[in-house]
Amino acid sequence: MHLNVQHDSEQDCLTLQFSNRFDFSVHRSFHEACLGEHKPSRSYVIDLGEVESMDSSALGMLLLLREHAGGDRAEIRIVNASTALRGTLRVAGFDKLFTLH
């Protein structure tokens, strides 16, 4: 599992791009990239374009990010998700918590 992290300092936007699987195997990398001692960025982009599957721990990580980023005030966009992943996110109610593109 690979996690690519890019920060646009001008826009203060952190982009997280996952490959293949978004699951517990990226927990440490995810935490180091955007949680913990880090000051929240103004916005986040979660790129699922290469993700074939995700599990409940991925959903938990997204909720932790949302809380860290300010809850209802958080600007988090989930982009490039496959039809199947979009369905999973909708069933879990994440379309009401995050912006899905």
Side-chain angles (χ1 to χ4, degrees):
M1 182 68 217
H2 179 71
L3 172 61
N4 183 31
V5 180
Q6 297 175 344
H7 184 253
D8 178 343
S9 56
E10 188 174 309
Q11 299 294 321
D12 192 19
C13 179
L14 189 69
T15 299
L16 305 171
Q17 184 177 29
F18 298 87
S19 62
N20 194 22
R21 294 172 46 130
F22 181 11
D23 59 19
F24 190 74
S25 67
V26 297
H27 181 264
R28 175 166 284 166
S29 299
F30 183 89
H31 191 274
E32 290 172 359
C34 56
L35 302 174
E37 301 298 318
H38 293 282
K39 175 182 167 259
S41 293
R42 190 182 71 70
S43 64
Y44 296 84
V45 174
I46 308 299
D47 188 342
L48 302 180
E50 296 181 20
V51 174
E52 296 175 10
S53 66
M54 60 191 295
D55 65 8
S56 61
S57 65
L59 299 177
M61 286 183 260
L62 290 173
L63 290 175
L64 288 172
L65 175 60
R66 185 176 188 272
E67 182 179 318
H68 176 75
D72 289 340
R73 297 181 317 276
E75 184 182 327
I76 303 172
R77 291 177 289 138
I78 299 175
V79 301
N80 301 321
S82 68
T83 302
L85 292 179
R86 290 173 71 86
T88 298
L89 293 166
R90 284 193 180 104
V91 166
F94 278 49
D95 56 328
K96 294 169 181 55
L97 302 174
F98 301 90
T99 302
L100 300 180
H101 288 285

